[in-house]
Amino acid sequence: MAEARTPAQIEADIDRRRQELAVVLDEIGVRMHPSTIIGDARAKVTSKVDHVAGRACVAASRVVSEVRSRFVTEEGEPRLERIVPVALVAVGVIGLLVSSSKSGEKAAEAAKASGRRKR
């Protein structure tokens, strides 16, 4: 059988539970406050961005190391047999872009000039 409680015990139990409920409600209030929600969201986004940026940094470092290993020996000496062809291709591509740009400008000027003549 359950033992009988006195009114004082019941009141003490009610007060204790009321205090526990007040603490829980305060915690809910803090958790649901807009600044807390924004802070939590900001922390999650920052963490995700840091994680992605870290992975991107590691990947970029790996690519740079691989490319460097193709053009430099383990002793740090340049591998001219690989550097010279790449440099020549780069100069050729740049030359093509420059000449294409100049011929495009000349064509645009010619089109403007012929448009002026027609008026």
Side-chain angles (χ1 to χ4, degrees):
M1 239 191 195
E3 56 185 78
R5 297 186 327 165
T6 66
Q9 290 173 327
I10 294 172
E11 285 179 20
D13 190 37
I14 290 172
D15 284 341
R16 183 181 50 81
R17 289 184 187 240
R18 190 175 287 147
Q19 289 174 355
E20 289 173 356
L21 183 58
V23 169
V24 169
L25 289 174
D26 286 345
E27 288 178 10
I28 290 172
V30 168
R31 287 183 187 173
M32 297 308 294
H33 193 274
S35 64
T36 303
I37 294 170
I38 291 170
D40 290 348
R42 185 177 293 138
K44 286 180 184 177
V45 168
T46 301
S47 173
K48 188 68 172 176
V49 167
D50 287 347
H51 178 72
V52 170
R55 290 183 65 190
C57 226
V58 168
S61 177
R62 187 178 308 125
V63 168
V64 167
S65 294
E66 288 175 11
V67 169
R68 184 174 188 272
S69 71
R70 293 179 189 263
F71 294 102
V72 178
T73 64
E74 291 178 10
E75 294 81 29
E77 298 292 322
R79 294 182 177 181
L80 294 179
E81 69 277 3
R82 292 185 180 175
I83 293 173
V84 171
V86 171
L88 291 174
V89 168
V91 168
V93 168
I94 291 171
L96 286 173
L97 291 174
V98 168
S99 67
S100 172
S101 173
K102 286 183 180 178
S103 65
E105 289 173 5
K106 287 180 184 177
E109 288 176 12
K112 283 183 183 178
S114 67
R116 287 186 207 147
R117 289 184 200 150
K118 289 183 181 178
R119 289 184 187 177

